[in-house]
Amino acid sequence: MTWLTFLVAVGFLFVPSVSMAAAQPETLRLRSSFVNSAGELTAVVQFPPGAVPKSSDFGLLIDDKPVATAKETQDQRLNLLFLVDVSGSMNGAPMNDIKSALPAFLKNTRRQDQFALTFFGDKERPAVSFEQPRDAIAAALQLADAKDKQTRLYQALYNTLREGFKDDPQIRRIIVVLTDGKDEGSAPTLDQVVNESQARSIPIYTIFRGKTGRPYEDVLSGLASATTGTGYRNEVVTVTALDQIYQLETNSATVRFSYNADPSGRATQNAAIALKRPNGAVLLAKLSDKIPALLVTTKIEPRKKWWQDWWPLNWWPLNWWPLNWWSLILLLALLALLVIGAALLFRRRRTPITTSTTAEPIGRVAPRPITTRTADEPAAPPRRETVIIGQYFPAPTSGQPAAILRGIAGPATGQEHAVDREFLSIGAGAANDLRLTRDEYVSGEHAYLRYEQGSLFIFDKASRNGTFVNDNKVPEAGIVLRPGDRVTLGQSTFSVVMPGG
């Protein structure tokens, strides 16, 4: 898909174009993402420095089509862990630099962020946890003594990645390593450290501080690059490196989308998050994992009338007349009314006009009684205009239901519910006739059934996840049910069964 095609798709052609050189440095990075079967997608994205994007600047693309705009963006709390080398090679100027740089950096950080400190050499030694005040880091550094014999860098990183953080999707987790870069005696390899970092979406930033040569600086830079971090060499001042890391990490947010996911379980690998920048650039971050596919709605062709299978003629009136049993009855009733009306008119013309001798005035009509509804009597639900078609169901009574809803999948498996009234509400709320409390994807007022003249209809009440009949979404005007149909609400599926079936 070309950039021009993408810009047309997301509607960004109205903004002025920018040069490729200006847009090149800006990137949108996806740190983590989670999506459920209902189409609720939550992602942690890192955007370029500058103006903080609004929710309307983020868009979700599925199969190269824009499907939703972010409904919410939220800043994340930052958990930053300092991993400080205390081997003998760090003694003197490198350690003194770290002792002065970290407290100075912490003075300009946000209040909601948390910081921790771990020393490593012969083994790693946690000194300050995330729950402790950040002032404790300066105190712990003053007591630090760089005299360990080995530098088990990979071992310390591997253990910290697996045990140093809580698994909280609302917290952004990063590691900053301050070392001379020479690993000694570690059981895990560099590749294992990189794989663990990528699996947990925890970037590693490296700041080289030591007396050794360039090869170890290159190792640290390669480690940082492989884990989506950045490596800083000896010539960069420690406080400057920390400020750059912090600015980069605070340019991140949690973005939430909601789209109409396919409840059948179909998934797609082609999904991405788009960000529209103030300068007109459009940045993309592709989702690495599969997500539920977008629900594709198809037009439902009406079933053929019973007479179309055998009627040999194709007269013009039959193309528009809704011919079925009920329309025939209505036609006969209209003809009967015409005959009766004609007979009464003919009789009136033959009957002489007589003068009334009673005291009752001519033309007076007895008033109709006015009926009122009591306060405790519930109001009848609004009726929607429908065309009565389909399978005949018996009239529902308390002892003889019109149909049975038999649970065949999801939380409703094994349940049976009788449709023993003309109006039956369905949902998770207490006021419903049929309550589905064990299905978290069913809305409080999800749908309702209505019986009318031998037909059974189902309507969706603007539920969050929709109502489906035979995997087809129920439209606003409702749909007629037939024996054997599968009705899906949330994750629960029912089969429509005739009484005694």
Side-chain angles (χ1 to χ4, degrees):
M1 185 179 184
T2 64
W3 271 104
L4 181 59
T5 305
F6 170 73
L7 291 174
V8 173
V10 296
F12 292 153
L13 283 177
F14 64 90
V15 295
S17 61
V18 294
S19 65
M20 186 61 69
Q24 186 70 22
E26 292 196 334
T27 58
L28 179 69
R29 297 165 60 184
L30 181 67
R31 286 292 175 81
S32 62
S33 63
F34 172 76
V35 63
N36 59 23
S37 59
E40 298 288 339
L41 172 65
T42 301
V44 178
V45 295
Q46 178 184 309
F47 46 84
V52 177
K54 304 184 295 293
S55 298
S56 58
D57 294 332
F58 289 97
L60 176 64
L61 282 77
I62 296 180
D63 296 330
D64 299 326
K65 296 179 181 179
V67 300
T69 301
K71 63 179 182 179
E72 180 186 7
T73 57
Q74 178 182 352
D75 291 337
Q76 283 194 309
R77 189 168 77 248
L78 179 67
N79 274 14
L80 190 153
L81 190 146
F82 298 107
L83 201 59
V84 176
D85 184 357
V86 291
S87 62
S89 59
M90 294 289 291
N91 194 24
M95 181 56 64
N96 293 334
D97 178 48
I98 294 172
K99 288 182 178 182
S100 61
L102 289 186
F105 160 73
L106 292 173
K107 292 179 180 179
N108 299 318
T109 54
R110 302 181 306 185
R111 182 174 299 179
Q112 69 266 30
D113 297 330
Q114 295 179 321
F115 302 88
L117 173 65
T118 295
F119 297 117
F120 74 96
D122 298 332
K123 61 180 181 179
E124 69 272 8
R125 298 187 293 275
V128 179
S129 67
F130 289 113
E131 290 74 20
Q132 294 179 258
R134 61 190 67 183
D135 293 342
I137 293 180
L141 284 170
Q142 293 304 317
L143 299 176
D145 190 7
K147 60 180 181 181
D148 284 13
K149 295 181 180 181
Q150 290 186 310
T151 307
R152 296 186 177 182
L153 171 62
Y154 301 156
Q155 186 73 58
L157 280 171
Y158 188 79
N159 293 342
T160 301
L161 286 167
R162 295 174 63 91
E163 302 172 3
F165 298 90
K166 292 182 179 179
D167 190 10
D168 187 346
Q170 299 303 320
I171 296 178
R172 216 163 48 254
R173 304 164 295 172
I174 69 172
I175 295 176
V176 176
V177 183
L178 299 100
T179 180
D180 61 6
K182 184 180 180 181
D183 177 78
E184 297 174 321
S186 295
T189 64
L190 176 61
D191 289 339
Q192 287 178 300
V193 172
V194 171
N195 293 337
E196 196 69 24
S197 170
Q198 293 174 346
R200 299 178 182 272
S201 298
I202 301 176
I204 300 174
Y205 292 87
T206 59
I207 301 178
F208 181 83
R209 288 294 172 266
K211 305 172 184 178
T212 53
R214 183 178 179 86
Y216 302 114
E217 291 184 274
D218 294 338
V219 170
L220 287 178
S221 296
L223 168 63
S225 177
T227 60
T228 70
T230 303
Y232 294 87
R233 298 184 179 272
N234 222 354
E235 57 268 19
V236 181
V237 179
T238 304
V239 173
T240 302
L242 292 171
D243 289 338
Q244 291 179 3
I245 294 170
Y246 191 67
Q247 182 182 11
L248 185 65
E249 284 298 325
T250 50
N251 288 331
S252 298
T254 301
V255 187
R256 293 184 175 87
F257 300 90
S258 179
Y259 68 97
N260 195 11
D262 192 335
S264 66
R266 285 194 312 114
T268 179
Q269 188 78 45
N270 188 11
I273 295 175
L275 171 62
K276 182 180 67 176
R277 298 293 289 157
N279 62 1
V282 178
L283 310 179
L284 278 179
K286 183 176 176 60
L287 274 66
S288 58
D289 298 327
K290 289 185 177 181
I291 67 171
L294 182 68
L295 177 64
V296 179
T297 57
T298 56
K299 183 178 180 181
I300 304 174
E301 295 295 333
R303 297 188 180 183
K304 295 178 65 176
K305 306 294 191 300
W306 57 269
W307 53 269
Q308 291 177 331
D309 293 329
W310 58 269
W311 192 261
L313 301 177
N314 188 23
W315 293 349
W316 169 76
L318 295 180
N319 292 332
W320 58 268
W321 180 258
L323 190 58
N324 54 41
W325 289 115
W326 296 113
S327 61
L328 289 176
I329 293 173
L330 177 61
L331 179 61
L332 293 176
L334 290 175
L335 292 175
L337 289 175
L338 290 175
V339 172
I340 295 173
L344 291 176
L345 181 62
F346 178 76
R347 181 178 178 183
R348 182 172 183 178
R349 288 184 176 181
R350 297 187 57 186
T351 303
I353 300 176
T354 58
T355 304
S356 174
T357 58
T358 62
E360 187 71 23
I362 298 175
R364 182 174 180 178
V365 181
R368 295 182 179 180
I370 300 176
T371 58
T372 58
R373 180 172 57 87
T374 63
D376 296 333
E377 183 179 352
R383 302 179 68 87
R384 306 187 186 185
E385 294 184 0
T386 55
V387 178
I388 310 301
I389 61 175
Q391 175 70 35
Y392 176 80
F393 286 90
T397 62
S398 59
Q400 177 62 47
I404 302 294
L405 296 181
R406 180 172 296 165
I408 60 174
T413 302
Q415 302 180 16
E416 288 194 357
H417 301 277
V419 183
D420 55 1
R421 59 191 69 189
E422 293 189 359
F423 179 86
L424 187 136
S425 60
I426 306 174
N432 291 282
D433 302 315
L434 171 52
R435 295 187 62 196
L436 301 176
T437 57
R438 294 189 299 173
D439 194 332
E440 61 181 349
Y441 295 98
V442 172
S443 301
E445 295 183 359
H446 198 106
Y448 67 89
L449 297 176
R450 196 185 83 200
Y451 174 86
E452 184 174 341
Q453 300 179 352
S455 293
L456 192 61
F457 298 86
I458 186 166
F459 298 88
D460 184 78
K461 299 184 73 175
S463 64
R464 180 180 180 185
N465 297 315
T467 304
F468 298 84
V469 175
N470 300 330
D471 296 330
N472 296 314
K473 190 172 184 179
V474 175
E476 182 180 358
I479 191 172
V480 66
L481 294 176
R482 293 171 175 80
D485 283 349
R486 292 176 288 104
V487 179
T488 301
L489 306 96
Q491 293 185 330
S492 302
T493 301
F494 298 88
S495 176
V496 181
V497 182
M498 293 291 289

